[in-house]
Amino acid sequence: MGFRLERAGGSLRAVDESGNVFFEECGPSGPNVSLAEVDLSWRQFIAWWRFRSRVGPWRSPAGEPEAGEGESLLYRDDVGRPLIEVREFVEDDGIAVGEVSAAEGAGGNWLRWRVRARTAERFLGFGERFNAVDQTGNRLSVWTEEGAFGLGETLGPLLDGAPWNPFPHGPTTAYKPIPFFISSAGYGLLLETTARVDYDVAATDPETLEILVWDRSFGWVLFRGATPAEVLERYTGRTGRANPPAPWVFAPWNDAVGGSREVRRVARKLRSEKIPTTAIWSEDWQGGFWIPPSRKRGFFYSIFPFRIRVDRCLYPDLEAVARELHGDGFRWLSYFMPYLLRGSPEYREAKSRGYLLAKPGGGVAHLTVLWSLYGHIDLTNEEARDWYTGFLRKNLALGFDGWMADFGEYVPPGSVTSSGEPGLLHHNRFPLLWQRLHRDFFDRERPDGDYVFFCRSAAAGSQACVPVFWSGDSNEDFERYDGLPSNVPATISAGLSGLPFWAADIGGYVALMRIRDRELFYRWTQFASMFPVMRTQHGTSPRSSWAFDSDDDTLDMFAKYARLHISLFPYIYGLATDAALTGLPAVRHLVLHYPDDPRSWSTEDEFLLGDRLLAAPVTERNARSREVYFPPGAWVDYWTGDVCHGPRARVVRSPLGHLPLFVREGSVLPTLDEPIDTLAPVERGSGLVGFEEAVSTIRITLYGTGEDQTVLSDGTQIHMWRAPAADLDAISAARIETCDGLPMDQAVDRLQPCGDRARPLALATARGDPIEVLLLDGAGYRLAGATLTSGSCRSRVTFEWR
């Protein structure tokens, strides 16, 4: 999609092929770029940095720019001194790049850029954001830090409409802030800088998007696209795209802490109840502690202070546990963070070798995590990287298959790296260095991809390194800014910012104002079952917080949604392949498929899984129904077969054990067709259904009437159709053939309604040959049909028309 850049009266604008201006600076009525000298101070407040700034007068260009060096343009101030240099050009079809920098010798250390905001223009993204997806009317920062800290369900409503919070940045605080947004005007804008960026998104002036960069220069990239999906595709094409992780990553994960005995108990429970699970995560492999003021078991449990060595009191036989878990089809995951406990042997060694971030005048730049002091590993130092990977290698040798690569948000602003980079600039850069360390390590140690690590922080481009992200340490409640409801916009906005593979702590993590109860666990399980990765979390009060096996009803509910999740593996893994090719996330905002529908832009409490599943999780306490907005088209209720037509909203009943879930009419949905234990390989004769057996069968369902086709990740091509007037009870014959025309065993009674989950039609494929199915009524009219060209040999293919 071609466009050109112009300057009119000194103001930059982008013009498409039809002459329409879709992006522009504010124009001659106000300064577009300005420079100021700022005195800055800071202090750490619990887990956040509080800043105080004394901003000098903003100096703005006087007059139009003149030719500078090379292809740059030079702005001068009101007395003719060089002030700001700019350069910009169209780099490729649909992409333009530019740079704004203080002129050499010009005093100042912060830059301000003002972009026009049109009436009703929407600005989506800015990384993972818990407060909203559309940030129009808000002020927010790109500064990686602990996430939004809510006040619970009782005090939380006090934040509604309030510009403050007892913690810095309030509801807009973000683990994964990314200086990229998508505009409804048809473009996306990325700032190429690791400096902190403050956005005023038409909050002060409804016609202005103001961008404040805490540095003397920044680059920008403008992406033009006919749709948000096209903009996102161009953005990820530049910053990097994900590689699909190992297939077993997409089976449910369960946490287990408390030592060898508890890990074994959880593993036995999962297998005896036939709850499909591949990974078990034990973050306390290096220690778990009950924190005062109460030392009673069942109070507050923490893995801090963190040590990088096995706690042999909790895990005296850790290696044996690992072998047992592998034999039962599990992968086992541990935990790492980039900080070294002051006084520990690792800290002393790193300090003596100069491997920690330092103060400008010398000495270690310490940080605080839960009242303990830590040193921060300096990953700009190659020797420090090699030294730290030694701990990762030892952990892998113990029998682990990956870990949570936690944190990344704590670089002290006043620190300095071995390369001389100040902490103010290194702070937002560090998450990418931390993630690249793990990715490079695993690519060397397990080039077959049989691993996973998952991360809380992110920067632009993290998606090319990280197999899985999770939303962070949410509260165990229904509170809007840090509980279950906040995870919906967080997931959607992260996807719009290029982060494709997502998980959440089922039930939340922090038991601050309330301990997780049965209702919260139910609703969070349903919500998380629609993510690419479904993962439980023990929480900070694991003896008290509701868990998957707290009672028999919960166990049945959890098993139901774990089986639903794993059954969707062929579909989800196909979305992972799509993410690698196009950059589209698995969990999607409605605008990625319905950009011409105005209400899709403002819908932030439901989402699409791919292009054909619509999930509308219940996120309010005591709610037994909710309003669901159906985008254009017809949508088939996954559970009942009822059809809802959009675009319109409708109240849908949702009892406690029910997730409102809908399939776009006329869509093919591929699912696994076996009772599955794990997606990891298993030994023959183990009694477990593992990856090879699971994918040897497949169920392919067409919902409603219409025609659709899809291609699975293994190359299997599927085409299905159903006539508009096809009667569910009218089938009298079926013709089933392989590619060589040989008939196959057939068992067709009638088309299956959604409420009937019996197996309607089973076919054995021979050598993976293509199959053609044709269903006829008594008069010989064609009612429905399907063709399958198999990319892999399967023992059974099941077709359904619902």
Side-chain angles (χ1 to χ4, degrees):
M1 178 175 288
F3 67 93
R4 66 182 186 275
L5 298 177
E6 299 178 346
R7 282 198 174 268
S11 296
L12 175 69
R13 62 183 186 181
V15 185
D16 67 18
E17 294 171 327
S18 301
N20 300 312
V21 178
F22 62 89
F23 169 85
E24 59 183 325
E25 294 176 332
C26 280
S29 59
N32 298 319
V33 288
S34 306
L35 179 66
E37 186 72 40
V38 180
D39 290 329
L40 193 64
S41 62
W42 52 80
R43 65 182 177 88
Q44 189 174 11
F45 173 67
I46 310 178
W48 297 269
W49 295 98
R50 281 193 180 275
F51 292 95
R52 288 187 177 180
S53 57
R54 184 184 302 169
V55 182
W58 286 101
R59 300 164 58 205
S60 303
E64 297 190 15
E66 60 187 57
E69 295 183 3
E71 298 181 351
S72 69
L73 298 174
L74 176 65
Y75 283 103
R76 296 183 182 274
D77 63 14
D78 54 3
V79 295
R81 293 171 301 192
L83 182 65
I84 294 173
E85 286 187 280
V86 298
R87 54 176 57 88
E88 63 265 342
F89 59 93
V90 176
E91 182 182 77
D92 198 357
D93 184 32
I95 299 178
V97 298
E99 184 178 357
V100 179
S101 59
E104 186 176 355
N109 52 3
W110 283 16
L111 284 165
R112 183 176 65 185
W113 190 24
R114 300 177 62 172
V115 174
R116 183 175 301 283
R118 295 163 179 80
T119 302
E121 186 174 1
R122 296 179 178 275
F123 300 92
L124 312 183
F126 299 94
E128 174 201 41
R129 299 288 174 172
F130 294 91
N131 64 314
V133 181
D134 178 9
Q135 298 296 341
T136 307
N138 293 328
R139 298 179 183 87
L140 62 154
S141 300
V142 174
W143 178 257
T144 311
E145 59 189 337
E146 284 275 352
F149 205 93
L151 299 179
E153 294 173 46
T154 302
L155 299 178
L158 297 176
L159 293 177
D160 286 335
W164 55 268
N165 185 286
F167 305 95
H169 309 141
T172 65
T173 308
Y175 302 104
K176 308 173 188 68
I178 294 176
F180 169 74
F181 65 81
I182 296 175
S183 165
S184 58
Y187 71 89
L189 182 66
L190 167 69
L191 295 191
E192 292 188 319
T193 179
T194 64
R196 172 169 167 154
V197 180
D198 295 337
Y199 290 92
D200 183 318
V201 190
T204 302
D205 179 353
E207 295 183 353
T208 302
L209 169 65
E210 184 173 284
I211 303 170
L212 194 65
V213 180
W214 293 21
D215 199 7
R216 285 175 55 86
S217 67
F218 66 90
W220 55 262
V221 185
L222 183 70
F223 304 93
R224 173 65 170 156
T227 65
E230 191 172 312
V231 171
L232 187 56
E233 184 172 356
R234 289 198 166 107
Y235 164 76
T236 56
R238 185 178 184 89
T239 59
R241 292 188 180 135
N243 293 315
W248 61 259
V249 171
F250 299 101
W253 308 2
N254 273 69
D255 74 283
V257 295
S260 299
R261 179 179 298 179
E262 180 64 11
V263 172
R264 289 185 170 105
R265 185 196 71 81
V266 170
R268 286 196 301 269
K269 187 75 171 180
L270 292 167
R271 289 291 180 253
S272 66
E273 297 292 335
K274 302 297 288 184
I275 298 175
T277 311
T278 296
I280 289 181
W281 173 56
S282 302
E283 67 172 355
D284 66 348
W285 69 279
Q286 55 76 53
F289 313 95
W290 298 101
I291 295 181
S294 170
R295 293 187 178 274
K296 295 179 181 178
R297 292 182 62 82
F299 190 65
F300 197 86
Y301 189 78
S302 176
I303 62 169
F304 303 107
F306 178 74
R307 303 170 176 86
I308 315 180
R309 54 186 179 276
V310 179
D311 185 328
R312 291 295 179 181
C313 291
L314 281 175
Y315 295 95
D317 56 347
L318 185 145
E319 294 86 348
V321 175
R323 289 192 297 272
E324 293 169 22
L325 290 177
H326 289 151
D328 286 337
F330 291 106
R331 294 291 188 262
W332 200 16
L333 309 178
S334 64
Y335 177 95
F336 280 94
M337 70 177 192
Y339 318 130
L340 303 173
L341 181 66
R342 186 170 125 173
S344 67
E346 298 81 16
Y347 170 91
R348 292 194 297 269
E349 182 179 0
K351 179 183 177 181
S352 67
R353 297 186 178 191
Y355 292 166
L356 302 175
L357 295 182
K359 298 176 183 177
V364 175
H366 290 109
L367 55 96
T368 303
V369 180
L370 287 181
W371 304 284
S372 295
L373 286 179
Y374 291 82
H376 194 301
I377 190 71
D378 180 3
L379 294 183
T380 67
N381 184 326
E382 185 175 353
E383 291 183 1
R385 292 197 302 271
D386 293 342
W387 176 80
Y388 194 90
T389 57
F391 297 109
L392 306 182
R393 190 172 294 108
K394 290 178 182 177
N395 193 260
L396 209 61
L398 289 170
F400 289 108
D401 303 285
W403 41 72
M404 175 188 284
D406 201 4
F407 285 94
E409 310 94 347
Y410 278 51
V411 170
S415 63
V416 63
T417 70
S418 62
S419 62
E421 185 177 45
L424 273 172
L425 294 179
H426 188 63
H427 183 95
N428 283 345
R429 185 195 308 277
F430 183 79
L432 195 55
L433 298 180
W434 175 235
Q435 293 151 8
R436 175 53 65 187
L437 173 81
H438 296 274
R439 183 55 180 261
D440 290 345
F441 168 78
F442 274 116
D443 284 348
R444 290 192 305 270
E445 298 294 323
R446 292 196 174 181
D448 60 354
D450 187 18
Y451 68 87
V452 74
F453 64 93
F454 54 114
C455 299
R456 187 176 77 171
S457 60
S462 287
Q463 66 274 4
C465 300
V466 178
V468 177
F469 295 94
W470 100 98
S471 54
D473 299 344
S474 300
N475 282 349
E476 294 184 354
D477 54 35
F478 285 92
E479 194 257 325
R480 174 182 170 189
Y481 291 109
D482 196 25
L484 172 57
S486 72
N487 273 249
V488 185
T491 304
I492 299 170
S493 58
L496 288 171
S497 303
L499 308 180
F501 306 136
W502 207 254
D505 290 342
I506 291 178
Y509 174 64
V510 181
L512 184 67
M513 299 291 183
R514 180 194 291 266
I515 292 178
R516 179 196 311 160
D517 60 14
R518 182 173 182 263
E519 181 176 7
L520 182 72
F521 188 84
Y522 269 56
R523 293 307 192 190
W524 215 311
T525 296
Q526 296 158 19
F527 167 58
S529 70
M530 289 294 103
F531 287 176
V533 175
M534 180 180 178
R535 182 178 69 84
T536 68
Q537 164 63 273
H538 55 274
T540 54
S541 298
R543 297 287 182 181
S544 303
S545 294
W546 205 267
F548 80 100
D549 58 348
S550 289
D551 65 19
D552 290 342
D553 289 342
T554 304
L555 192 66
D556 290 342
M557 181 280 305
F558 184 79
K560 170 185 175 180
Y561 283 97
R563 290 165 188 153
L564 169 63
H565 174 85
I566 202 169
S567 75
L568 291 171
F569 169 76
Y571 179 59
I572 291 174
Y573 201 64
L575 298 179
T577 304
D578 290 345
L581 296 175
T582 67
L584 288 180
V587 175
R588 301 175 185 175
H589 194 301
L590 300 187
V591 298
L592 291 177
H593 293 286
Y594 302 95
D596 297 327
D597 175 36
R599 183 157 175 183
S600 288
W601 284 86
S602 60
T603 300
E604 301 186 354
D605 61 350
E606 58 190 65
F607 55 86
L608 295 165
L609 180 61
D611 63 343
R612 55 197 65 192
L613 280 176
L614 175 67
V618 176
T619 59
E620 294 183 10
R621 184 174 291 282
N622 298 322
R624 297 299 181 263
S625 65
R626 61 153 293 169
E627 182 179 89
V628 177
Y629 174 69
F630 295 95
W635 296 85
V636 180
D637 189 307
Y638 177 84
W639 310 104
T640 68
D642 294 342
V643 179
C644 303
H645 295 273
R648 66 180 286 250
R650 173 178 166 182
V651 174
V652 174
R653 290 186 66 253
S654 182
L656 185 56
H658 179 78
L659 168 71
L661 180 63
F662 306 88
V663 188
R664 178 167 51 82
E665 186 178 45
S667 293
V668 166
L669 189 65
T671 57
L672 297 179
D673 195 27
E674 277 286 346
I676 301 153
D677 294 299
T678 178
L679 287 181
V682 295
E683 295 290 335
R684 291 184 179 274
S686 65
L688 300 172
V689 176
F691 179 75
E692 290 188 7
E693 189 174 355
V695 299
S696 70
T697 67
I698 191 169
R699 179 183 293 254
I700 307 164
T701 306
L702 177 70
Y703 286 81
T705 61
E707 183 176 8
D708 191 25
Q709 53 191 5
T710 190
V711 180
L712 304 184
S713 59
D714 65 359
T716 299
Q717 300 179 33
I718 301 165
H719 174 238
M720 293 183 73
W721 60 274
R722 178 179 171 185
D727 184 348
L728 294 177
D729 299 310
I731 298 175
S732 62
R735 187 171 73 238
I736 306 165
E737 296 181 345
T738 61
C739 61
D740 54 10
L742 297 176
M744 303 188 71
D745 293 339
Q746 49 191 276
V748 180
D749 295 326
R750 62 189 185 92
L751 297 176
Q752 295 290 298
C754 281
D756 184 359
R757 291 288 168 179
R759 185 174 298 153
L761 177 60
L763 306 170
T765 61
R767 304 175 305 278
D769 287 343
I771 302 170
E772 182 175 1
V773 178
L774 187 61
L775 306 182
L776 311 173
D777 67 9
Y781 292 111
R782 300 182 174 194
L783 299 179
T787 58
L788 179 143
T789 303
S790 183
S792 60
C793 185
R794 291 186 170 87
S795 61
R796 185 177 70 248
V797 178
T798 301
F799 293 98
E800 287 184 324
W801 289 262
R802 293 195 182 278

